[in-house]
Amino acid sequence: MWKLLRCLAPAALLALGAGAASADSSKSYEIVDGGIPASLTGKPGDPAAGEEAMLNRKLGNCLACHAVTKLKNHPFHGEIGPALDGVADRYSEAQLRLILVNAKQVFDGTMMPAFYKSEGFTRVMDSFAGKSILTAKQVEDVLSYLSTFKEH
Amino acid sequence: MAFTTTVKRSVVGGVALALAGLGISASLAQDEESGRTNLPSIEGEKLLTRLKSPQGHPLKWVVSGFEFRTRDTQALQLDDFSNPAFLWVERGEEAWSTAEGEAGKSCESCHGDVEDSMKGVRAKMPKWSTDKNRPMPLEDKINQCRKERMGAEPWKWESDQMLGMTALIGLQSRGMPVNVNLEAGDMMAWWERGQKLYYTRMGQLDLACANCHEDNNGKYIRADLLSQGQTNGFPTYRLKWQKLGSLHRRFKGCMDQVRAKAYKRGSDEFVALEVYTAWRGSGLSVETPAVRQ
């Protein structure tokens, strides 16, 4: 009985946490040829929710470091990373998924945080301990939005 | 005493204003090291805000946070009458000559005129203490005096009293080059500990000081222009805080932002980081109390 409960509890949390701001702990995923081919949730993401998560300063906060022409109505785009215009032309969906999940596995020594990683950090603040920046769903949402960043 | 210092400052400020009005300001000074004309100056004291780094320094140029701020913010700092930090300096002046504690002494009882006795003190902080066998930031020095010489309660690190006193003492070094003595005692071990912290990625965002302040200074992170994280202006009036704040408060702010568990103000880790970051700014003019965004 206890075993069963323990299995159920995280599932219940996941269901509740899908739209919540604080992320769950990351699950395992398979890397194939420098990318993650399979959706982390088993489902395609929602691009509108992805745009929200990209902009939200407590979630993706992508504009902190990257400029995005189609988000020009939001002021102050960062200059740290490359502009994201046309990013879906440069990388496959599987590559983009791995870059979002943990960019350090693609770009050695990059400053970009891993958005779907919950362990292995130094001195994480208690309120974020054991949590990833984004949930699996939010990664898929951002990815589905990024996949529309095509120029060709 | 507090009154006379204020008056003196007003008179000097008045002269500087009058000169500026005639178009004769100290800003025509040329500095050999930076090759710059038009160095910023406050009350005729010029400030070196940029210098070429010595060999072996991790940065090519050492640049004060002053240069990363807008003209409006700079203007607040360049005029003591508009610099809000002087509200704290005036508190510090009052405290300087107020007797407290069992010994019935004030700072002035032992140290006399702050303008003479405290000149250059801030520029050398943190300074090795043989007594305590560790480097001491100004805050620790002040509390050591309060406890051991005055028999008074120590001040809290981020209290208005402490900020007033560190601002007042720091002001007496304004314009003098930052010059930490790493040869005293075990200072090099503390420098190394600070260096290690500087390059250690921390928190959920997994960022080290160096990621922003060494590799990306001069670039915008959202609406903020990243500086080199120099320490020469602390305690600093920060517009975001609407208050004067200590260097260790600023360290904590950065750690909060990367979602790391911050060290405590005055902790060994922050003292080590202060030693190391002060060294990175060697040669910059002390700007205490600076104004930042």
Side-chain angles (χ1 to χ4, degrees), chain A residues 70 85-89 146-152:
Chain A
K70 66 160 129 183
D85 298 349
V87 76
D89 295 325
L146 282 181
S147 299
T148 68
F149 287 28
K150 290 195 176 189
E151 292 179 328
H152 308 293

Side-chain angles (χ1 to χ4, degrees), chain B:
Chain B
M1 148 71 207
F3 180 69
T4 50
T5 315
T6 311
V7 169
K8 240 189 269 175
R9 186 155 53 75
S10 308
V11 170
V12 176
V15 172
L17 276 179
L19 286 172
L22 291 168
I24 310 163
S25 75
S27 63
L28 290 174
Q30 178 158 9
D31 186 85
E32 284 178 19
E33 252 182 310
S34 68
R36 270 185 53 186
T37 53
N38 294 322
L39 286 173
S41 63
I42 309 174
E43 299 199 344
E45 189 106 66
K46 61 176 184 163
L47 299 175
L48 186 61
T49 56
R50 166 183 295 261
L51 68 145
K52 212 161 168 44
S53 308
Q55 254 196 334
H57 194 287
L59 299 160
K60 264 191 194 154
W61 289 86
V62 179
V63 184
S64 164
F66 180 88
E67 291 201 15
F68 293 85
R69 305 283 60 101
T70 64
R71 282 190 188 282
D72 286 349
T73 307
Q74 291 179 348
L76 284 176
Q77 185 187 317
L78 293 181
D79 176 3
D80 288 349
F81 293 95
S82 42
N83 184 343
F86 276 85
L87 293 171
W88 280 264
V89 172
E90 276 164 28
R91 279 175 204 226
E93 284 172 346
E94 218 176 288
W96 180 262
S97 49
T98 305
E100 267 192 86
E102 287 161 12
K105 285 184 189 171
S106 68
C107 310
E108 194 179 20
S109 314
C110 296
H111 297 287
D113 192 336
V114 67
E115 292 185 15
D116 301 325
S117 60
M118 293 296 130
K119 197 170 174 60
V121 167
R122 161 67 175 82
K124 292 184 186 131
M125 289 292 154
K127 197 178 173 187
W128 183 257
S129 159
T130 316
D131 270 11
K132 307 282 173 196
N133 199 38
R134 71 197 295 265
M136 287 179 88
L138 194 49
E139 288 87 346
D140 283 341
K141 284 271 181 199
I142 290 166
N143 270 342
Q144 186 185 15
C145 257
R146 287 184 63 79
K147 281 188 283 189
E148 295 173 16
R149 295 210 209 174
M150 296 165 70
E153 281 292 306
W155 281 326
K156 291 215 167 75
W157 196 277
E158 207 65 42
S159 63
D160 286 330
Q161 295 105 314
M162 182 61 91
L163 291 166
M165 192 54 73
T166 53
L168 173 69
I169 293 174
L171 175 63
Q172 313 312 321
S173 297
R174 194 165 67 182
M176 297 175 74
V178 171
N179 181 20
V180 189
N181 180 9
L182 295 179
E183 280 162 25
D186 262 343
M187 282 293 274
M188 270 319 289
W190 285 77
W191 180 92
E192 277 166 19
R193 187 170 178 184
Q195 183 193 41
K196 200 172 161 216
L197 285 165
Y198 193 88
Y199 290 99
T200 302
R201 287 178 181 250
M202 289 187 199
Q204 192 192 37
L205 269 56
D206 206 20
L207 294 173
C209 310
N211 286 120
C212 286
H213 300 290
E214 181 169 307
D215 299 341
N216 286 294
N217 68 74
K219 289 185 186 166
Y220 276 92
I221 188 157
R222 202 71 200 241
D224 287 335
L225 183 58
L226 289 170
S227 74
Q228 293 186 345
Q230 297 293 356
T231 64
N232 55 315
F234 283 89
T236 284
Y237 186 90
R238 212 163 168 242
L239 300 172
K240 235 178 237 177
W241 293 335
Q242 291 288 301
K243 201 176 182 307
L244 197 65
S246 72
L247 175 62
H248 292 199
R249 177 178 181 187
R250 190 67 198 84
F251 286 161
K252 178 184 164 9
C254 270
M255 292 190 77
D256 289 346
Q257 279 193 306
V258 303
R259 300 179 173 178
K261 206 181 296 177
Y263 299 109
K264 295 262 182 282
R265 293 176 176 89
S267 64
D268 285 357
E269 288 87 356
F270 275 174
V271 171
L273 194 58
E274 180 175 343
V275 168
Y276 179 69
T277 50
W279 168 83
R280 285 175 75 99
S282 298
L284 287 175
S285 296
V286 172
E287 292 178 30
T288 308
V291 181
R292 299 289 186 256
Q293 95 291 12

